[in-house]
Amino acid sequence: MSSYDVIVIGSGPGGYVCAIRCAQLGLKTACVEGRETLGGTCLNIGCIPSKALLHASHQLHEAEHNFAAMGLKGKAPSVDWPQMLSYKTDVIGQNTKGIEFLFKKNKIDWLKGWGSIPEPGKVKVGDAVHEAKNIVIATGSDVSTIPNVEIDEKIVVSSTGALELAKIPKKLVVIGAGVIGLEMGSVYARLGSDVTVVEYLDDITPGMDAEVQRSFKRILEKQGLTFIMGAAVQGVSATKTKAKVAYTLRKDESGHEIDADIVLVATGRKPYTDGLGLDALGVEMTERGQVKTNSHWQTNVAGIYAIGDCITGPMLAHKAEDEGMAVAETMAGQAGHVNYGVIPGVIYTHPEVANVGQTEQELKEAGRAYKAGKFSFMGNGRAKANFAADGFVKILADAETDRILGAHIIGPMGGDLIHEICVAMEFGAAAEDLARTCHAHPTYSEAVREAALACGDGPIHS
Ligand code: NAD
């Protein structure tokens, strides 16, 4: 039996980052992972592989739509799907092996197998029981489906199956206009599929700024995606080669059906803690099946912590990473902290959608007096040169103090641009601080500065 200061269960972005930070802080650390490779959902079947397919399909889109205008003549490339999948697999391998290297470098033991907690201070992996002063549950989340929809990962797929389709479908029906539905819907629309998204609500990407929702939907429609909104999916019937999606329109309760070669179920994820033995340990859970933690990520059982998708908060890799670092610092006797008010969200479509802080709706509901500074990428020289002038940056600032309260971007590299606003918010900056910061020309970042200027005396280029 080996003994550790910390055993982290799960090696996704929450778990592996936590393990590395623990080791850096001098704690003897092990990480339990039952998958063949490290990195969890994000690296193996989530964020990273989907970004490879988004990148490849965007290159095709550029070749088909923009090359000729730039004087690049010739036929657009055709898609070699098996090769695209193998490129994606290679990207996964490079990333998961990278984590393995980092574990070795930081002297973290990888305990291979599925872990459970037979009693506080002990973690069982296979037949071996290891001792740990502290245990961190970082077991993530799993696909959650809806009633009467059975995922077979062949015809009716989750995000996992959508990354491994045998061929590009002629007709793809996506259930749910959330992040997964729109990212994967974009991939297949660019690869030539006829994509229809069926969404229960009246707006796409629930919780997002309403102006971004409207603009994003228009842009996706222009790219060929079809939306059926206010439609509650009642069930999916599938044969070996086809499927039928039945839905009712909420406005009049009328029933409809739509045919598909492939159905992607993208209706959310649920916390995953199966097999850990939390019930027997008496670990308190929330009504939604999440592990209940206090503000230091401690459960009600001494020495057991939890982070990431299996606790409350947005199911985002970077939120899990931040919690992983903070809980490591807490266990090492430091003051770990996560600022939940400044966690960006990004959708990696083209254009990208990014947000941080509060939306206009939230500010209105809270009765907060605010101003909105907006700047369209149409006024950004770099965006125009790159056929990327769709979208805008909107900064929301306190009407009186000018302090930045939120930002919403739809546009090129939005997922990168958002971070200067995150840093500004961490420092409690005013919009004027961004506006007075020199931004290199010509860059997309100038649109952020112009939006900040729009909170004051006005932008220059609109
Ligand atoms: P989601 O919660 O983002 O969206 C699910 C959508 O499905 C919602 O719009 C919901 O209204 C709709 N829906 C639910 N039931 C329905 C029904 N019966 N009929 C029609 N529509 C229905 O979920 P997701 O897109 O599956 O993503 C899961 C999680 O993974 C999210 O927490 C997301 O943040 C995370 N994720 C993040 C990224 C990223 O940050 N880029 C990428 C992928 C996944």
Side-chain angles (χ1 to χ4, degrees):
M1 181 162 72
S2 37
S3 86
Y4 295 93
D5 292 318
V6 180
I7 297 182
V8 183
I9 307 179
S11 74
Y16 85 69
V17 167
C18 177
I20 292 172
R21 180 55 102 227
C22 286
Q24 288 172 336
L25 295 174
L27 302 173
K28 189 178 178 218
T29 308
C31 182
V32 186
E33 177 55 63
R35 237 183 247 276
E36 292 293 303
T37 48
L38 298 170
T41 299
C42 173
L43 270 66
N44 289 284
I45 49 166
C47 324
I48 297 296
S50 61
K51 260 79 270 174
L53 295 184
L54 278 157
H55 177 67
S57 59
H58 178 61
Q59 302 306 309
L60 177 68
H61 176 92
E62 287 292 282
E64 284 173 345
H65 297 271
N66 295 329
F67 274 18
M70 289 186 274
L72 299 169
K73 292 282 168 67
K75 256 180 71 191
S78 60
V79 178
D80 178 345
W81 181 236
Q83 175 56 31
M84 201 179 280
L85 291 180
S86 94
Y87 146 68
K88 178 212 70 179
T89 306
D90 182 55
V91 170
I92 296 172
Q94 288 179 40
N95 281 275
T96 57
K97 284 197 190 79
I99 308 301
E100 222 175 306
F101 163 78
L102 291 173
F103 271 19
K104 284 194 188 118
K105 184 181 158 196
N106 287 285
K107 302 192 173 39
I108 297 162
D109 289 344
W110 173 4
L111 307 175
K112 293 187 185 178
W114 302 103
S116 61
I117 310 173
E119 58 185 280
K122 294 209 159 63
V123 173
K124 188 167 185 278
V125 184
D127 293 331
V129 177
H130 307 271
E131 274 183 355
K133 286 190 196 123
N134 291 300
I135 298 167
V136 180
I137 301 167
T139 44
S141 60
D142 197 4
V143 169
S144 131
T145 183
I146 49 175
N148 309 319
V149 179
E150 207 174 303
I151 293 171
D152 59 23
E153 297 296 13
K154 296 226 151 37
I155 299 295
V156 184
V157 299
S158 71
S159 50
T160 308
L163 295 164
E164 282 291 344
L165 294 183
K167 59 178 190 205
I168 297 166
K170 275 208 180 70
K171 180 140 182 70
L172 172 70
V173 170
V174 177
I175 308 177
V179 187
I180 292 177
L182 300 182
E183 287 187 353
M184 293 314 295
S186 284
V187 165
Y188 286 104
R190 290 176 200 158
L191 295 176
S193 302
D194 172 1
V195 177
T196 301
V197 183
V198 185
E199 166 59 48
Y200 179 83
L201 298 171
D202 297 324
D203 298 301
I204 66 171
T205 55
M208 208 166 265
D209 185 86
E211 204 175 358
V212 171
Q213 287 177 325
R214 285 193 297 273
S215 169
F216 189 27
K217 182 160 172 270
R218 267 199 308 273
I219 291 171
L220 291 172
E221 281 169 339
K222 227 166 59 185
Q223 293 175 3
L225 277 81
T226 303
F227 289 92
I228 302 175
M229 305 302 293
V233 169
Q234 302 297 324
V236 174
S237 54
T239 66
K240 279 204 170 106
T241 54
K242 292 242 174 270
K244 246 186 213 322
V245 178
Y247 63 91
T248 51
L249 287 179
R250 282 167 48 233
K251 61 175 182 207
D252 57 11
E253 294 293 316
S254 57
H256 304 261
E257 275 188 349
I258 177 167
D259 292 322
D261 299 309
I262 297 287
V263 177
L264 165 59
V265 184
T267 50
R269 297 180 63 83
K270 56 176 190 244
Y272 180 80
T273 54
D274 291 4
L276 290 175
L278 300 189
D279 235 15
L281 278 169
V283 172
E284 274 184 58
M285 307 294 280
T286 70
E287 276 171 11
R288 302 177 65 191
Q290 299 144 324
V291 181
K292 218 182 206 176
T293 54
N294 66 14
S295 57
H296 300 292
W297 307 279
Q298 262 168 338
T299 68
N300 62 314
V301 178
I304 302 182
Y305 297 79
I307 57 166
D309 281 11
C310 71
I311 70 168
T312 54
M315 289 184 168
L316 297 171
H318 44 281
K319 175 258 193 189
E321 289 181 32
D322 277 29
E323 289 175 341
M325 283 192 274
V327 78
E329 286 159 3
T330 304
M331 291 183 298
Q334 301 181 0
H337 176 71
V338 174
N339 180 0
Y340 288 99
V342 185
I343 295 186
V346 179
I347 307 180
Y348 298 88
T349 45
H350 195 87
E352 290 182 350
V353 178
N355 62 74
V356 64
Q358 290 170 283
T359 62
E360 285 202 59
Q361 302 93 282
E362 284 167 345
L363 292 171
K364 277 181 193 145
E365 273 161 34
R368 182 106 183 228
Y370 71 94
K371 49 193 173 173
K374 197 174 150 192
F375 186 77
S376 161
F377 279 98
M378 284 303 284
N380 179 275
R382 185 71 178 279
K384 279 210 284 250
N386 294 1
F387 298 97
D390 269 342
F392 58 84
V393 178
K394 181 165 72 174
I395 294 179
L396 306 174
D398 187 277
E400 213 174 300
T401 64
D402 196 35
R403 188 184 177 131
I404 302 170
L405 304 173
H408 305 277
I409 302 178
I410 175 160
M413 305 292 287
D416 286 281
L417 298 183
I418 196 76
H419 295 104
E420 77 166 288
I421 304 169
C422 296
V423 173
M425 287 176 75
E426 283 286 356
F427 280 83
E432 188 181 347
D433 293 318
L434 277 186
R436 289 194 183 276
T437 304
C438 183
H439 284 63
H441 176 74
T443 58
Y444 297 137
S445 308
E446 288 174 289
V448 174
R449 182 196 202 172
E450 294 266 18
L453 280 165
C455 290
D457 293 333
I460 302 298
H461 295 91
S462 79

